Amino acid sequence: MTTTIATTTAESVAESKPTQEPQTQAEDTETKLNNKPEGYDFFRNVLKSPKYVVAPMVDQSELAWRVLSRKYGADLCYTPMFHARMFGDQSNSGYYRDMWEDEVETGQDRPLIVQFCANDPDNLLRAARLVEDKADAVDLNLGCPQHIAKRGHYGSFLMEDWDLVYKMINNLHRNLKIPVTAKIRVYPDVEKSVEYAKMVESAGAQMITVHGRLREQKGHKTGLCDWNKIKAVKEAVKVPVIANGNILYFEDIQRCIDATGVDGVMSAETNLYNPALFSGLNPPVWQMADEYLDICRKIPTKPVYIRGHLFKLFRQALPNHIDIRQRLAEAKSLEDMSELSGILKERLQKQQAEDKEYDPSKIYIDEFGYRIYPSYLCQPAIRREFDKYNSQGEKPLGREVYEENIVRVDYSKFSKSKENNGDSVTDKSQNPDEPKGEKRASSPSIKQNDGKPKKNKVKESKQERIKKISSCLLCSNVLSPKCTRHLCKNCCRGLTKSLESETPSIPELPENALKQRLEFEWTAATMPFCETHAPKVFKKSNKTTEIDDKARQETIKQES
């Protein structure tokens, strides 16, 4: 009897094991989800309280660049933004391999946050699960302002869809083994920006990066970042906040922290021009190029990424070395780019050796508050004020000066001019004890008036001037090469609509448009029909096709 009971008990225990094991695995998974670090516990213990952060940058924050940035002080790095749907699509495994497999197993790239763009909670979770064992957190991009983000309905173009944003973040928070973070932009209204950040926090984001610019601030309209809105967000949420925007120099990092109270500062564009930003250095550009190329020899990196980084590093020097610039644009391999980098290095080292006037112990400031460096040193790109007629104006955005031991460059006796097809600058001080400087690219071009008589230039005819114009005749934007009207795409389409109306007329032009540039006005009769840009909804009409290019040229001759 006893034996029978014992056997039955053993059998029952044996039968119960298979049913208990799955429950134990499920409990373990649930335990990991529930016990993952959150908020400042995550920030301090997992990310190690990062103060200096390299931003996620498409085709730019790849592994080799992150390794270089970490060497010079970066505490935390983000991957480039990955497309969640394509990344997690098993039928499109090529995208995943191309974007991710080369990024792991190096031992040099932690802590690391992987960023995705998405507009579907399931697609985002599927992609995030592929990297949850290979990264420290997953970030949702809610700040990309580019047109492709508008077309794909992601990034900053989700700012009107709070419900979807909440669902995506909350889905990761509940189902992912690692924390979820978010990178956002701000609204024109401070209160709405704060409410948006609080919603992101309530959804489960354990850290928020705030780019203090509006969605409309991009390209030539980028302008300055609003630290006050970042401060308002920091004061309203309980999770760590990283600030992004207006970081040009190492000293700006602490100024931003003091002004906003944030836990860390992220750099994007400035990091590309000076990867040693977080170390407080402005090293020679060839030094950074050599170190980056050495890393690329050890870590396979796409040539298109390498070329892009070299153009950023050599940005201030290339206008004075046009032959290298052209060859670099055509280079296809790491070896070719290394060779060109070596040639440019020799030239810049010679320039540095001959420069006896630049004193690294002093800070040279232009009239707009920006530092002036020789073209052979790493330095940030200076944004310029938006010009509604020419996209980018000549005047840089103003900046307050906080530095000590500065030498201000006197511009009062100089006249502006452009040299070498770039924004290079020659600064010469009235004080003989101050360095006379050399061509620099950190401020508007200036040229000393040496008192020499100006040469009389032969005045060109209007027809000759037209032949040299490479921009739209109406708005000064880039000329469309296929347009028979010598206009940009937008102007050509707008003109087509006007000519096809019942009362054809030239659209309203900017004040500095054709009349000022060519000193005569177009009439409707001088514009031929353009097959390239005419909208499909409009058809040719007799009145717009009667005048061909030959007649147009005759009209120009008569006007001139």
Side-chain angles (χ1 to χ4, degrees):
M1 185 69 175
T2 305
T3 307
T4 306
I5 293 175
T7 304
T8 305
T9 304
E11 290 175 355
S12 62
V13 172
E15 291 174 357
S16 65
K17 283 186 177 179
T19 59
Q20 288 180 349
E21 288 180 356
Q23 292 177 359
T24 304
Q25 292 175 359
E27 289 175 358
D28 290 343
T29 302
E30 184 176 356
T31 301
K32 289 181 181 179
L33 295 177
N34 294 333
N35 292 339
K36 62 185 176 185
E38 297 182 352
Y40 277 96
D41 181 29
F42 160 67
F43 184 78
R44 297 187 182 107
N45 298 327
V46 178
L47 300 184
K48 309 302 180 184
S49 300
K51 183 178 180 180
Y52 308 130
V53 184
V54 175
M57 295 173 284
V58 175
D59 294 346
Q60 300 281 263
S61 60
E62 84 286 353
L63 177 58
W65 189 258
R66 299 199 300 268
V67 171
L68 178 64
S69 299
R70 291 181 192 276
K71 180 180 178 180
Y72 285 92
D75 299 319
L76 170 65
C77 292
Y78 283 64
T79 68
M81 181 190 73
F82 301 143
H83 193 290
R85 179 182 58 79
M86 298 174 64
F87 194 89
D89 186 0
Q90 295 182 355
S91 63
N92 185 27
S93 59
Y95 180 85
Y96 169 78
R97 291 195 303 269
D98 191 36
M99 293 291 128
W100 179 254
E101 285 197 343
D102 290 339
E103 305 280 313
V104 297
E105 305 300 338
T106 64
Q108 309 176 67
D109 196 29
R110 301 295 281 271
L112 176 68
I113 295 181
V114 180
Q115 189 187 67
F116 290 104
C117 67
N119 56 21
D120 180 89
D122 294 332
N123 286 339
L124 178 57
L125 179 60
R126 187 181 302 112
R129 279 178 168 163
L130 294 175
V131 300
E132 65 180 347
D133 294 323
K134 306 168 185 176
D136 299 291
V138 166
D139 185 80
L140 177 60
N141 183 317
L142 298 173
C144 181
Q146 303 304 326
H147 181 70
I148 190 173
K150 181 178 181 180
R151 198 169 60 206
H153 189 53
Y154 60 80
S156 65
F157 296 94
L158 297 176
M159 293 174 73
E160 288 78 28
D161 199 342
W162 289 24
D163 183 56
L164 176 58
V165 170
Y166 183 93
K167 288 179 180 178
M168 288 194 293
I169 295 176
N170 190 250
N171 193 34
L172 293 184
H173 176 59
R174 290 185 293 104
N175 298 292
L176 209 60
K177 292 188 291 185
I178 56 177
V180 56
T181 66
K183 187 171 186 288
I184 66 174
R185 286 204 172 211
V186 296
Y187 294 85
D189 181 65
V190 176
E191 289 73 18
K192 190 171 183 180
S193 300
V194 169
E195 289 303 314
Y196 185 56
K198 292 173 69 175
M199 180 273 294
V200 169
E201 179 188 27
S202 66
Q206 303 307 313
M207 185 175 73
I208 300 176
T209 300
V210 184
H211 188 165
R213 289 186 173 92
L214 308 177
R215 180 172 62 195
E216 294 74 23
Q217 289 183 271
K218 59 183 178 180
H220 297 312
K221 297 182 180 180
T222 297
L224 296 177
C225 160
D226 189 343
W227 283 357
N228 291 326
K229 291 178 181 175
I230 300 178
K231 179 181 180 181
V233 170
K234 170 59 183 173
E235 293 174 348
V237 300
K238 298 180 181 179
V239 297
V241 174
I242 304 295
N244 181 207
N246 285 7
I247 304 298
L248 294 179
Y249 311 111
F250 179 73
E251 292 75 12
D252 292 338
I253 298 173
Q254 191 58 48
R255 285 203 309 111
C256 179
I257 293 175
D258 294 341
T260 61
V262 295
D263 302 280
V265 172
M266 174 181 286
S267 173
E269 186 176 82
T270 302
N271 166 260
L272 296 177
Y273 293 105
N274 181 14
L277 167 71
F278 294 136
S279 65
L281 302 175
N282 292 87
V285 291
W286 67 80
Q287 177 184 333
M288 293 293 94
D290 284 350
E291 293 186 21
Y292 174 65
L293 291 170
D294 287 342
I295 295 172
C296 291
R297 293 185 184 98
K298 301 174 184 176
I299 301 175
T301 305
K302 293 182 181 179
V304 65
Y305 296 170
I306 301 173
R307 186 188 303 112
H309 282 301
L310 292 181
F311 266 108
K312 288 287 196 306
L313 290 172
F314 292 134
R315 180 180 185 272
Q316 311 297 351
L318 286 176
N320 301 322
H321 303 275
I322 300 177
D323 59 326
I324 298 295
R325 182 175 64 184
Q326 181 62 33
R327 292 174 62 187
L328 183 59
E330 299 171 353
K332 303 295 183 182
S333 66
L334 173 61
E335 292 72 21
D336 293 341
M337 292 181 226
S338 298
E339 179 184 356
L340 294 172
S341 178
I343 296 174
L344 187 55
K345 174 182 177 179
E346 293 179 0
R347 297 182 185 180
L348 294 178
Q349 285 180 328
K350 181 179 179 181
Q351 177 186 341
Q352 184 185 35
E354 295 173 351
D355 184 4
K356 305 299 182 182
E357 299 168 336
Y358 175 72
D359 185 355
S361 65
K362 296 181 179 180
I363 300 175
Y364 301 90
I365 302 293
D366 67 12
E367 60 180 323
F368 301 102
Y370 294 100
R371 298 182 183 183
I372 300 175
Y373 293 101
S375 60
Y376 53 78
L377 295 182
C378 289
Q379 55 194 281
I382 306 303
R383 299 191 185 279
R384 301 182 183 276
E385 290 184 351
F386 175 69
D387 185 322
K388 64 180 179 180
Y389 300 126
N390 300 312
S391 294
Q392 180 170 281
E394 293 294 326
K395 183 180 178 181
L397 297 168
R399 168 184 169 81
E400 295 183 37
V401 177
Y402 299 87
E403 292 81 6
E404 298 179 356
N405 190 30
I406 65 173
V407 177
R408 289 188 177 274
V409 180
D410 186 359
Y411 289 77
S412 59
K413 294 188 177 183
F414 302 144
S415 59
K416 295 181 179 180
S417 65
K418 288 189 175 181
E419 302 176 355
N420 296 323
N421 296 324
D423 295 327
S424 56
V425 57
T426 304
D427 60 277
K428 298 178 185 277
S429 175
Q430 286 181 315
N431 189 343
D433 295 331
E434 295 177 0
K436 297 180 180 179
E438 57 158 333
K439 293 182 181 177
R440 312 189 197 280
S442 298
S443 56
S445 303
I446 53 177
K447 185 177 181 180
Q448 188 177 17
N449 183 3
D450 53 11
K452 294 181 181 180
K454 296 182 178 180
K455 295 181 180 180
N456 295 327
K457 296 183 178 181
V458 179
K459 188 175 181 180
E460 297 177 332
S461 67
K462 293 171 186 176
Q463 191 172 5
E464 290 174 335
R465 290 169 64 192
I466 290 174
K467 292 179 180 179
K468 292 186 176 181
I469 291 176
S470 60
S471 56
C472 173
L473 294 179
L474 295 185
C475 73
S476 301
N477 285 336
V478 178
L479 173 69
S480 175
K482 297 181 180 180
C483 181
T484 58
R485 293 169 172 165
H486 301 283
L487 305 177
C488 68
K489 179 174 66 176
N490 290 337
C491 284
C492 187
R493 288 179 175 174
L495 185 63
T496 302
K497 294 179 181 179
S498 175
L499 294 177
E500 290 290 344
S501 64
E502 295 181 359
T503 57
S505 62
I506 298 297
E508 184 179 352
L509 303 179
E511 294 179 0
N512 71 335
L514 194 62
K515 186 174 181 178
Q516 290 187 7
R517 296 177 64 211
L518 301 181
E519 300 176 359
F520 70 93
E521 296 182 355
W522 289 99
T523 62
T526 65
M527 284 292 184
F529 184 84
C530 181
E531 293 280 1
T532 305
H533 298 129
K536 296 180 180 179
V537 293
F538 295 106
K539 297 180 180 179
K540 289 184 181 180
S541 62
N542 294 332
K543 62 189 176 190
T544 59
T545 54
E546 290 176 355
I547 307 300
D548 56 12
D549 281 333
K550 184 177 180 180
R552 174 174 175 272
Q553 294 298 332
E554 291 296 328
T555 304
I556 294 175
K557 290 181 180 180
Q558 293 176 6
E559 291 285 348
S560 61

